[in-house]
Amino acid sequence: MKIKTLVSCMTLASLLFASTAFAGSKATITMQSFGKTKEGVDTALYSLTNANGVKTDITNYGGIVVRLFVPDREGNMGDVVLGYNTVAEYILDTPYFGALIGRIGNRVADGKFSLDGKTYHLVTNNFPADIPCHLHGGTVGYDKVVWDAEPFIENNTPGLKLHYLSIDGEEGYPGNLDITVWYRLTNDNSLKIDYLATTDKATPVNLTNHSYFNLKGEGNGDILGHVMKFNAANYTPVNAGLIPTGEIASVKGTPFDFTSPHTIGERVNSSNEQMKFGGGYDHNWVLDNQDGDLALAATAFESTSGRFMEVWTEEPGVQFYVGNFLDGSIIGKSGKPYNFRNGFCLETQHYPDSPNQADFPSIILKPGEEYTTTTIYRFGTR
Ligand code: GLA
């Protein structure tokens, strides 16, 4: 009820904003080729521009958000997400820049889980501290497939509908999972992502988006000065293999406490054992909101540009990863290297290793049920 009021206020505010300051501006969508996959499948790049001139480029390869231009406090547009200019580069090597992630976002211990008395073996494609696990859906996750795409404009809001059928047995998962994702670039300068999935066999599902943000603009250095605040009093500590121990631990007195604002850099090199395991922040925060309604999870503010970003989600958790594996070997869209900690991710999600953790909220979707979840990245300046 409370949340509903909030959402309608946001919508009302955005309508007023659109009709007063930008009367007459029209949302637009254009489309161009984004090149072919190795198998020769055509991919496309859709440019969505909202009534304020805020623009995002999204490809149906992996559902990747390739560019996202939002204004700074002077009104200058800057691209605040990391990525590449061509599909070939995404295919060759990507740390999941901007992509849709599934069937299970994040890690599954040893790539194994049991469901209805049967043990399933998933691909192990990640080895923190030499301990194998399944990460982000496996070798060919949803970030590496071509989705069916349908651009649309409704209520002067541009959007892109993406559809993918993940077949029974794909990457070891049970059941045909029919997935639809809607991206919308709304006129309150939000990138809104709605997910829907249905299955014909019980299966774990944990979908997310893996955008790397830098509110100074991609390629403009590290993210250590960003000021973060999370509505999360707890997090899930991990072992050396980055698998949760099962404990829901208080953030109080730790570098994980962002209940009041702190820069990323302030405690990122702390000698806290958890920070050593992650090589910095690479953990799941347990959001205070656990009722499945849309709520504010996190904010990030960057003072030189004046840009801020809010993350709203219906999910119970968020993985905060600060680009600890970026090392300058990747050259980004503007020809500049992405060095250590040059981007951060806020991956809204259920907790890592959920299928093996009886006390975590379940991610099992059954036939006849609908998996739906919404995440919003909203941008502004101050
Ligand atoms: C996620 C993981 C990180 C890392 C990145 C990709 O955010 O939590 O450990 O694997 O993806 O580099």
Side-chain angles (χ1 to χ4, degrees), residues 304-324:
T304 61
S305 63
R307 291 190 184 102
F308 73 81
M309 173 180 141
E310 291 176 352
V311 182
W312 294 70
T313 190
E314 296 177 354
E315 288 299 297
V318 65
Q319 184 84 7
F320 179 48
Y321 166 65
V322 297
N324 307 312

Side-chain angles (χ1 to χ4, degrees), residues 289-313:
N289 175 53
Q290 291 284 315
D291 61 13
D293 285 337
L294 191 66
L296 182 64
T299 57
F301 172 65
E302 201 285 305
S303 63
T304 61
S305 63
R307 291 190 184 102
F308 73 81
M309 173 180 141
E310 291 176 352
V311 182
W312 294 70
T313 190

